[in-house]
Structure formats: C-alpha cells, structure tokens
C-alpha cells in the first residue's frame, strides 16, 4: 500500500480523460485502475476520472428505463466497491462516475473513495440525460487528509450558484468530472458538434483534431466560463473529461487543473487517453481574489437569488428546449 501524506500545503492531483466503451464496465474500470496506478506512482493524492466513465454516457439517452436499470448499481455495489478497494490499495483518493440505482430512482452519480474506506457519492443536481434519471438534491463537500473538497458533475458547474455554495461550505478543491465538448448547444454562439470523421482520422490528420479540440467547440468554450468558477470563488478546479467518440458525438478531452486565480496550471492537448498532473499550492487560497470577494459578501441583499420567478425549467427542458427564455 502506498501511504498518503499528511495534510500539506501542496497536494498533487491527477485529472484524467479517456474514451469509455458504452456499457463495458470491465473495460472502463480497467482504465480507471490504469490511471489510478499511474497517478499514485507519480505521487498524486487524488485522481479524478470523468463523469459516467464506468458505464458510458451519451448512449444512455437511447436506452429504455429497464436497460438503464439493468446497467445501474447501488452506491455499495461492485463498481464502487472496486473503487474503494483500489483507493485502499494505492493509498490515494479515486473518483469515477457511474449510474446509481437507489430505491426506485436512477441518478447520474460520482463516487470519490478515500484510502481509509470512506466513500462520498454526489448525485448530479441538474441531470438531463434521460427522463428516467433523477436530479440530486444536495451538495457534496467533505474533508480529506489533504484538503476540503467538493464534487459537481458537468452541468452542475455551469450554474454559478452551485460553485459558490461549495466554496461557502469551505471547499478549496472542486472536483469537476464532465462529458463535454462537441455537444449541440441551442445557443447560436454555443458549442456545436465535431464531425466524427475528425476523430476517426486523427492519426492521419492530427492537425484537424487538435484544432477542433482547441477551438470554439472545445477548449475555447471552456475558457469562457470554467476559469471564472475557480477565480470568483478562490478554489482549485480539477477538470476531468471524456475524450473521443461518445455515442454519436465527439468529446474534446482538455483535462486540466485551474488555480484560485483562474490560471490553467496544467492541461493536455492529447487527442486520446491522458493523465494530467498538477501540484495544488493551497497557500494560494486564503489571499486569493475570490476569497476576498467572499469576505465582502452582503447576504442581506441576496434574497432574490432564492426566490422563484416562474421562469424556472426542469434540467432537461432547460438543456434541450429551442424556445427563448423570457424574463
């Protein structure tokens, strides 16, 4: 067993991108295990794998409820148990996404397993993948031997209130697993799909896939908002993502780590599976601009933030409706 270090000012983390196989739990778990071992060998204390990476993602929207039910597992099922055992074996935190079955409900969930056997499971707050998948109802903020961390899954990070709530709960490191890039946004200047041929021809035309991943449907879109989540709240963001074919779309990878000033401290351009390592200098947090802004808050002014306006929509409608939002 590799023993994790005690609480320190600098913590090494790993952010992973990999191309999952739809419904192939054994293969996907093997990928998580491979990257977790590589991260541990490199001295990382936590490794973050993508959203839903253990079962596949975009294919879920095509499945029947029964098919989803058969693919799902409880949070104490074999998949999470394997992650827990892996974390204990390596002495690091291991995070990966799965489809959770709880009671009569299904959730897009993410498990972070710590080396002492503790498991933290976050349920996506704004699930839109399938009408049978429910949204979660609470934040997931927890202590580790290295830092106070939080989990927000993909679309959860797009809503600024969610990241602020995690920061106010004391999180200094946000684990942000995604399956994004190359999606079809209803917004005229949002992301658009990347042709599958660009991915399939990546070896013969590497320039085309790199341009796509760095461009408006990949990294450029992330840079419009992701660094602001880190900067405005004075926390680190560990961004893990799918890469390559995801059903009929192409995910753009761009695994990266962003510091509390919104600076990208490590990232990858790889058009393939990759591990990104970064050292988080937690000493940057207390004097960061975002933390100063948190200290300047005037909560008595913010009542309108929690009032319903009548324009709210469920996550699926908000994500897919072609109708403009009238205020």
């Amino acid at each position: 067993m590799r023993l994790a270090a005690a609480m320190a000012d600098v913590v090494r983390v790993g952010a992973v991108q990999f191309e999952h196989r739809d419904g192939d739990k054994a293969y996907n778990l093997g990928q998580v295990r491979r990257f977790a071992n590589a991260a541990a060998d490199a001295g990382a204390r936590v490794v973050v794998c993508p959203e839903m990476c253990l079962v596949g993602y975009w294919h879920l929207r095509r499945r029947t409820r029964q098919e989803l039910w058969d693919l799902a597992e409880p949070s104490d099922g074999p998949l999470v148990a394997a992650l827990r055992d892996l974390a204990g074996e390596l002495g690091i935190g291991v995070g990966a996404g799965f489809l959770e079955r709880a009671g009569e409900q299904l959730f897009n969930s993410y498990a972070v397993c710590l080396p002492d056997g503790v498991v933290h499971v976050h349920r996506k707050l704004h699930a839109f993948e399938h009408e049978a998948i429910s949204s979660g109802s609470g934040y997931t903020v927890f202590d580790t031997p290295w830092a106070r961390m939080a989990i927000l899954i993909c679309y959860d990070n797009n809503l600024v209130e969610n990241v602020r709530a995690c920061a106010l709960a004391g999180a200094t490191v946000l684990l942000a697993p995604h399956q994004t890039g190359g999606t079809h946004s209803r917004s005229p200047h949002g992301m658009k799909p990347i042709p599958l041929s660009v991915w399939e021809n990546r070896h013969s035309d590497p320039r085309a896939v790199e341009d796509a991943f760095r461009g408006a449907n990949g990294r450029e879109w992330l840079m419009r908002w992701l660094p602001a989540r880190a900067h405005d709240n004075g926390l680190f963001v560990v961004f893990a993502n799918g890469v390559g074919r995801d059903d009929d779309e192409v995910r753009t990878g761009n695994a990266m780590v962003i510091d509390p000033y919104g600076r990208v401290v490590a990232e990858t351009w790889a058009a393939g599976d990759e591990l990104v390592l970064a050292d988080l200098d937690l000493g940057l947090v207390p004097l960061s601009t975002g933390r100063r802004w948190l200290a300047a808050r005037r909560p008595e002014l913010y009542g309108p933030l929690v009032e319903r306006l009548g324009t709210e929509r469920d996550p699926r409608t908000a994500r897919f409706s072609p109708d403009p939002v009238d205020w």
Side-chain angles (χ1 to χ4, degrees), residues 61 82 92-93 203 211 220 232 236-237 254 256 276 280 316 322:
R61 77 194 195 283
I92 69 172
H203 300 301
D211 287 347
E220 286 182 12
D232 292 355
F236 288 92
V237 173
N254 304 119
M256 68 177 72
V276 171
L280 311 187
R316 281 179 59 79

Side-chain angles (χ1 to χ4, degrees), residues 201-212:
N201 297 330
R202 64 192 180 279
H203 300 301
S204 59
D205 191 359
R207 179 63 181 272
V209 72
E210 181 176 332
D211 287 347

Side-chain angles (χ1 to χ4, degrees), residues 1-8 10-15 35-36 38-48 86-88 90-95 112-116 142 144-147 149 173 175 275-280 282:
M1 173 180 174
R2 303 181 182 93
L3 295 177
M7 181 77 76
V10 177
V11 180
R12 180 165 292 183
V13 299
F35 282 114
D41 286 341
R45 301 307 179 193
V46 178
V47 62
V48 183
L86 181 62
L90 300 178
I92 69 172
V94 179
V112 172
C113 301
L114 299 179
D116 62 0
F142 52 94
T144 74
W146 319 286
M149 299 186 178
V173 179
L175 311 183
L275 167 68
V276 171
L277 295 164
D279 292 326
L280 311 187
L282 298 176

Side-chain angles (χ1 to χ4, degrees), residues 186-201:
R186 295 290 187 180
S187 302
H189 300 291
M191 284 185 296
K192 300 303 175 189
I194 295 169
L196 285 171
S197 60
V198 171
W199 174 253
E200 292 165 351
N201 297 330

Side-chain angles (χ1 to χ4, degrees), residues 16-300:
V16 173
Q17 62 182 47
F18 77 82
E19 185 180 26
H20 58 251
R21 293 181 182 174
D22 295 347
D24 191 340
K25 296 179 182 179
Y27 173 82
N28 296 330
L29 182 59
Q31 290 291 83
V32 172
R33 182 175 288 111
R34 177 168 74 90
F35 282 114
N37 272 277
D41 286 341
R45 301 307 179 193
V46 178
V47 62
V48 183
C49 295
E51 172 187 15
M52 220 40 113
C53 63
L54 290 171
V55 296
Y57 179 67
W58 205 223
H59 74 106
L60 299 176
R61 77 194 195 283
R62 302 179 184 273
R63 306 305 178 195
T64 66
R65 189 183 194 284
Q66 185 60 52
E67 288 173 329
L68 294 180
W69 191 261
D70 293 341
L71 186 63
E73 293 187 9
S75 61
D76 59 354
L79 278 178
V80 176
L83 295 180
R84 186 186 65 237
D85 292 346
L86 181 62
E89 172 192 341
L90 300 178
I92 69 172
V94 179
F98 69 108
L99 184 62
E100 182 188 3
R101 186 171 68 228
E104 298 300 316
Q105 292 181 291
L106 295 166
F107 295 97
N108 177 339
S109 293
Y110 195 87
V112 172
C113 301
L114 299 179
D116 62 0
V118 174
V119 177
H120 299 279
V121 175
H122 177 69
R123 294 169 175 171
K124 190 173 184 177
L125 302 173
H126 304 274
F128 58 78
E129 297 79 13
H130 193 287
E131 61 185 5
I133 298 177
S134 301
S135 292
S137 59
Y139 296 107
T140 308
V141 182
F142 52 94
D143 289 317
T144 74
W146 319 286
R148 190 161 174 81
M149 299 186 178
I151 309 166
L152 291 173
I153 300 172
C154 203
Y155 201 33
D156 293 350
N157 292 279
N158 294 142
L159 281 79
V160 297
E161 293 88 347
N162 292 329
V163 183
R164 175 55 54 89
C166 291
L168 291 174
T172 56
V173 179
L174 175 62
L175 311 183
H178 282 63
Q179 291 287 347
T180 194
T183 69
H184 179 62
S185 170
R186 295 290 187 180
S187 302
H189 300 291
M191 284 185 296
K192 300 303 175 189
I194 295 169
L196 285 171
S197 60
V198 171
W199 174 253
E200 292 165 351
N201 297 330
R202 64 192 180 279
H203 300 301
S204 59
D205 191 359
R207 179 63 181 272
V209 72
E210 181 176 332
D211 287 347
F213 281 17
R214 291 192 187 208
N217 302 314
R219 187 181 188 273
E220 286 182 12
W221 174 76
L222 293 171
M223 290 299 103
R224 295 182 189 180
W225 61 274
L226 189 58
R229 301 295 181 269
H231 175 274
D232 292 355
N233 296 288
L235 45 66
F236 288 92
V237 173
V238 184
F239 173 82
N241 193 22
V243 69
R245 185 159 189 161
D246 183 14
D247 195 48
D248 62 352
E249 292 187 344
V250 177
R251 302 288 165 247
T252 57
N254 304 119
M256 68 177 72
V257 178
I258 303 173
D259 81 0
Y261 286 91
R263 302 176 300 180
V264 177
V265 296
E267 64 181 317
T268 179
W269 307 113
D273 300 352
E274 190 69 82
L275 167 68
V276 171
L277 295 164
D279 292 326
L280 311 187
D281 180 359
L282 298 176
L284 293 175
V285 172
L287 288 177
S288 64
T289 306
R291 291 288 150 156
R292 291 178 180 275
W293 289 353
L294 290 181
R297 293 172 64 252
R298 294 182 60 194
E300 69 274 11

